[in-house]
Amino acid sequence: MRNQGVGTWPYRRARQVPDAIAIVFRDEELTYRELSERATRLAHALAELGVGPRDRVALIGMNHPSYLETLFAAGLLGAVMVPLNARLTAPEVTFALRDSGARVLIHSGALADVAVASANEAGIDHRVVVDGSPDAGAVGYDALIATAGTERIDHVVGHDDPCFIMYTSGTTGNPKGVVLTHGAVTFAVMNPIIDLDLCSDEVSLVAAPLFHTAAMNFVSLPTLLKGGTVVIEEGFEPGRALRIIAERRVTYSFGVPTMLDAMSAHPDFADADLSSIRRWIVAAAPVPPRTLQTYTERGVKLCQAYGLTETGPGALVLTPNHAERKVGSAGVPHFFTDVRIVDADGVETESGERGEIQIQGPNVMREYWNRPDATDDAFTGDGWFRSGDVGVRDDEGHVTIVDRLKDMIISGGENIYPAEIEAAILGIPGVVGCGVFGVADRKWGEVGCAAITLEDGVDLTYVDLEAHLVGRLARYKIPKSLVVLDAIPRNATGKIRKDRLRAMFSNAG
């Protein structure tokens, strides 16, 4: 085949195991033969709508097989998929559609209000509605596929051609479009296959959002490349997730810490059958020690990992054979990826010394879409991607993530890393969530403020907080104020929006 890209993967797998189950959604099973045919039909349909090589096809919706079918269909045409966060507002979607120059918007019926307004504002040519009745200005997704051709498509697509434009969460300013090539996606997918020993009999649960690189490139695509089964959930519900793990004999999954905590807090957790799980990746936010301990006691190997959208997402991974011995670490660099830790002068640090994590490898993004200035700023002169995260390497090469450089609090000349304090606060009985951030202070320049959420019926005063932390943390690290919230602001991947906390409580110090 002339097409060496990701779009051909269903066809290549269907040649070998056509009747194996590729996707399960709402208890309906889709074989590799059927997945290949649906991707081919969708590619023909998109071509009829005017989509060609390098054109962008955007998608916004809840988790659905259309994410994977659209990716493969776009790949067959040499087009570029643009998955968008389902929680975005209409102005945010409009920005992404305009910035990417998308020609087609595929969206769920449930998001019609946002999709229609955004498409009209951005001047989108065509809308396709998934899982709902199309309005007068759109066509139905399944109807489009059903009436399209099945002739095999084989355009020239190479590893240097763009596959995705994935927008960052945009915690500061407008989001940036991360361009991942077909080669970058291939190497990003191969990393977990090699490092986690993924098998052809994997049953992988995808309850995290498919617009996120972890759910797509670290779970779904590796499983499909190996010929396993991807069980797609529209969203995350802890009780249902526990049932699916037992019923489908789930072997592999990814979740952010809040998802794992929600499952362990569910009444069914104590009796849930988790014996099928071979490894469970946890990343995207600092993992509280109590979360790691809870699952270790149940025999589940929680493998911490670290990466970014820009690295597709993998950079570091803690493999199952080290999961207990190196608990709390994010592991070592992936097979195809290199990681270094450098000080402020760009000199590699010694083991035990903190510094910025920098990443290099074929899985790293090519560029930020139409942002040469931001692209230049993101890379060092010798080609390493600047993560903006602080890490420390031990004498065996395992890296522990300390915090974000931008979240570091400088108080009276002392560097304070919020993740360390958050872990200590989460050890207080009744504390469910915690985010520590810096607020201005006349004397010290900046001091810490702790935002927490509590279990029903639990009260916690600042005096209680301070009493718990004294003796556990140095005095200068203890937050100087406390706010109790109903919910801590987070983005779709579970990361705490500390920019919002700082804006909300800038005078809390």
Side-chain angles (χ1 to χ4, degrees), residues 96-131:
L97 294 176
R98 283 176 169 167
D99 187 66
S100 65
R103 298 197 63 174
V104 174
L105 174 62
I106 300 174
H107 66 89
S108 67
L111 296 179
D113 289 347
V114 169
V116 171
S118 303
N120 289 341
E121 189 70 20
I124 295 293
D125 296 331
H126 302 283
R127 282 189 299 106
V128 180
V129 179
V130 177
D131 214 15

Side-chain angles (χ1 to χ4, degrees), residues 324-494:
E324 292 187 34
R325 189 172 68 88
K326 293 289 186 178
V327 64
S329 161
V332 297
H334 277 291
F335 187 86
F336 289 114
T337 308
D338 294 312
V339 173
R340 71 184 185 186
I341 298 176
V342 303
D343 62 21
D345 297 320
V347 178
E348 288 200 55
T349 60
E350 300 293 332
S351 61
E353 296 179 350
R354 292 172 171 176
E356 183 188 24
I357 298 169
Q358 297 183 349
I359 304 146
Q360 190 177 64
N363 56 302
V364 176
M365 74 167 189
R366 184 176 72 185
E367 63 187 336
Y368 289 118
W369 180 255
N370 289 335
R371 293 288 302 275
D373 54 338
T375 303
D376 289 343
D377 290 343
F379 289 91
T380 64
D382 55 349
W384 290 74
F385 177 77
R386 307 175 192 268
S387 72
D389 291 318
V390 180
V392 58
R393 184 181 61 252
D394 68 17
D395 55 9
E396 293 183 275
H398 285 73
V399 177
T400 298
I401 310 303
V402 177
D403 220 323
R404 289 287 293 169
L405 277 176
K406 68 179 182 181
D407 290 337
M408 184 177 70
I409 301 166
I410 303 177
S411 184
E414 295 282 3
N415 293 344
I416 300 173
Y417 296 94
E420 175 188 14
I421 305 165
E422 289 161 0
I425 294 175
L426 287 169
I428 301 175
V431 175
V432 177
C434 176
V436 174
F437 55 100
V439 294
D441 183 83
R442 289 184 179 181
K443 181 178 181 179
W444 302 110
E446 194 175 29
V447 294
C449 175
I452 64 171
T453 55
L454 299 168
E455 292 178 0
D456 290 342
V458 174
D459 292 317
L460 187 77
T461 67
Y462 178 78
V463 172
D464 298 328
L465 175 75
E466 186 178 38
H468 178 85
L469 297 181
V470 168
R472 290 179 171 86
L473 295 173
R475 275 281 182 183
Y476 72 88
K477 296 181 182 179
I478 297 175
K480 299 300 185 288
S481 55
L482 171 70
V483 291
V484 179
L485 305 176
D486 292 331
I488 293 175
R490 299 175 184 269
N491 67 16
T493 61

Side-chain angles (χ1 to χ4, degrees), residues 128-162:
V128 180
V129 179
V130 177
D131 214 15
S133 300
D135 56 88
V139 294
Y141 180 82
D142 284 321
L144 199 66
I145 290 176
T147 57
T150 59
E151 181 182 354
R152 183 156 298 120
I153 298 172
D154 189 22
H155 292 313
V156 175
V157 179
H159 277 196
D160 291 333
D161 291 319

